[in-house]
Amino acid sequence: MHMARQEPGNPHVSAIAEQLGISASTVSKVINGRPGVAAKTRRRVEKALADQGYAHPLVSTKIAQTIELVVDYIANNGTIEMIRYASKWALDAGLALTVTQTDHQRRAEECLRGIIDRNPLGVITQMSSIDQKGKNVLKARGIPLVAVDPVDLVNDEDMSITLDNWTGGYQAAKCLLDAGHRRIGVIAGPANVQSAQARLAGYRAALAAIGASLPSSMVLQGDYLPDRGYQAACDLLDRAHPPTAILACNDLTAVNIYRAARERGLEPGQDLSVVGFDNVYPSSYLMPALTTVDQPFDLMARMAVGMILDARQGKEFQRHVVMPTRLVSRHSVVNLTHASHLQSESRVQEAAQ
């Protein structure tokens, strides 16, 4: 007697059923999208299929006319802009937008289960990540996934929209260097986030281009959120030889540099130069208005929605896109080459004493 050979990526229904202690008909219902299976059991079957590399999309009885936007948290650091524009472009396509927070990845698995239950038209992640098992589950359900500003490296088969963070960092640092600054502090983004490391590399490259360097003591770790940015700014400004300028990993950090400076009698744009990153509210409304690097959130959201629609329709399209950056010059950078501002450096040092 000859046993039927199991093809790679297509496990036997009976084997999955035995593994989970359920009937083969239940597994078959999940694969074919039929009703009559409890949500918890359906998720167990889908996970087992994904773990064993099930290669064919799972059939669904109904695809929700929504796009799911997954973020680790919501703050005024780009996530709000993405929500605004993704909802706009989803609505233009006749779709709704659902926003899911993973609570800094602490509830990532729970969020993924919710996405599977809702069965959206597609998923967009922003500064968040779905692990390979999660990607396999989405793939098995035929749900397209687009990573915007991905945290980790992406594979060829993934879909991604990435900002040219390195060039943005270079532009920000060059702006300060052209204004005569050499003692520059940096409040960097999270060490485990690709965008933050690319921006930091861009800062370093701009200094290297003029034969200068960025001492490690002048680079403090932030996390794109207010508290650590504020503490880092206090640390830099309280030194015996504080920086004349600070590069902020994002605009939210820059707002807290302004706060720390004013607490020490320093006026941003006069006694201390600050450059942000993102160009989100309230950067243009600060006093002085913040010089920053613009992220084209509108275009990024439009492209992400378009990728999902193209994937659903089986169209050919570019799966990986890198978006350009643009420096927006406002009034937060002091030009030290102008005689009227030569006293700026001494005032910063006086405030630190």
Side-chain angles (χ1 to χ4, degrees):
M1 183 176 67
H2 295 284
M3 296 285 290
R5 187 170 64 182
Q6 181 179 338
E7 293 296 327
N10 296 289
H12 285 308
V13 169
S14 57
I16 294 291
E18 183 178 352
Q19 174 190 335
L20 299 178
I22 58 178
S23 68
S25 63
T26 299
V27 177
S28 181
K29 284 180 180 179
V30 174
I31 292 174
N32 293 289
R34 295 198 299 270
V37 180
K40 184 176 180 180
T41 302
R42 186 180 296 276
R43 289 194 294 265
R44 289 177 61 217
V45 174
E46 288 172 346
K47 184 177 185 301
L49 289 166
D51 288 347
Q52 294 198 27
Y54 186 72
H56 301 295
L58 298 173
V59 178
S60 173
T61 54
K62 183 178 180 181
I63 298 173
Q65 295 303 294
T66 62
I67 289 176
E68 194 100 14
L69 175 62
V70 180
V71 296
D72 277 2
Y73 54 86
I74 296 175
N76 203 31
N77 60 0
T79 54
I80 290 176
E81 297 298 310
M82 185 56 64
I83 292 169
R84 175 182 295 121
Y85 290 117
S87 61
K88 166 190 170 184
W89 291 111
L91 184 61
D92 280 1
L95 306 169
L97 183 78
T98 302
V99 180
T100 297
Q101 296 185 70
T102 69
D103 190 17
H104 300 271
Q105 291 292 306
R106 286 187 285 267
R107 303 178 69 179
E109 187 174 342
E110 176 187 346
C111 291
L112 180 62
R113 290 197 301 267
I115 292 170
I116 295 302
D117 289 345
R118 289 186 289 274
N119 197 22
L121 196 71
V123 176
I124 300 169
T125 61
Q126 184 201 21
M127 287 197 305
S128 186
S129 63
I130 293 179
D131 63 21
Q132 192 57 51
K133 283 188 177 181
K135 290 179 182 179
N136 290 343
V137 171
L138 293 176
K139 184 178 179 181
R141 292 298 299 264
I143 301 174
L145 169 65
V146 180
V148 174
D149 210 1
V151 174
D152 305 312
L153 295 175
V154 293
N155 301 320
D156 289 342
E157 63 182 22
D158 293 335
M159 294 186 290
S160 68
I161 300 171
T162 306
L163 188 72
D164 187 356
N165 287 287
W166 186 93
T167 298
Y170 190 99
Q171 293 168 329
K174 187 175 185 300
C175 167
L176 292 176
L177 295 171
D178 289 347
H181 294 273
R182 294 298 181 269
R183 195 162 67 251
I184 299 171
V186 172
I187 302 177
N192 64 334
V193 174
Q194 188 180 171
S195 62
Q197 294 311 300
R199 292 172 195 180
L200 180 57
Y203 300 154
R204 293 187 186 279
L207 272 82
I210 64 165
S213 62
L214 183 60
S216 59
S217 61
M218 296 296 279
V219 180
L220 298 186
Q221 196 68 57
D223 59 1
Y224 287 157
L225 293 171
D227 291 346
R228 286 189 67 178
Y230 171 72
Q231 292 300 329
C234 293
D235 184 321
L236 287 169
L237 295 176
D238 286 341
R239 296 181 180 188
H241 299 284
T244 63
I246 301 177
L247 289 162
C249 59
N250 64 356
D251 291 353
L252 193 56
T253 300
V255 169
N256 285 280
I257 295 172
Y258 275 41
R259 173 190 167 195
R262 288 191 167 120
E263 288 175 347
R264 287 155 178 78
L266 301 172
E267 188 59 32
Q270 295 179 24
D271 309 312
L272 177 70
S273 293
V274 184
V275 179
F277 206 112
D278 284 343
N279 194 28
V280 298
Y281 180 85
S283 62
S284 63
Y285 295 95
L286 294 173
M287 293 294 289
L290 179 67
T291 293
T292 186
V293 176
D294 180 71
Q295 285 208 56
F297 291 106
D298 188 0
L299 183 55
M300 293 166 82
R302 181 180 183 179
M303 294 192 72
V305 172
M307 282 182 171
I308 288 171
L309 296 176
D310 287 347
R312 280 290 188 179
Q313 295 166 15
K315 294 181 179 179
E316 292 291 327
F317 60 94
Q318 189 174 346
R319 301 183 71 85
H320 301 285
V321 178
V322 178
M323 305 297 297
T325 57
R326 176 177 63 94
L327 182 74
V328 180
S329 295
R330 295 192 178 111
H331 307 295
S332 61
V333 175
V334 182
N335 193 327
L336 295 184
T337 62
H338 293 172
S340 61
H341 290 302
L342 289 178
Q343 75 273 25
S344 176
E345 183 171 344
S346 63
R347 287 191 62 184
V348 174
Q349 287 188 278
E350 287 172 9
Q353 292 173 355

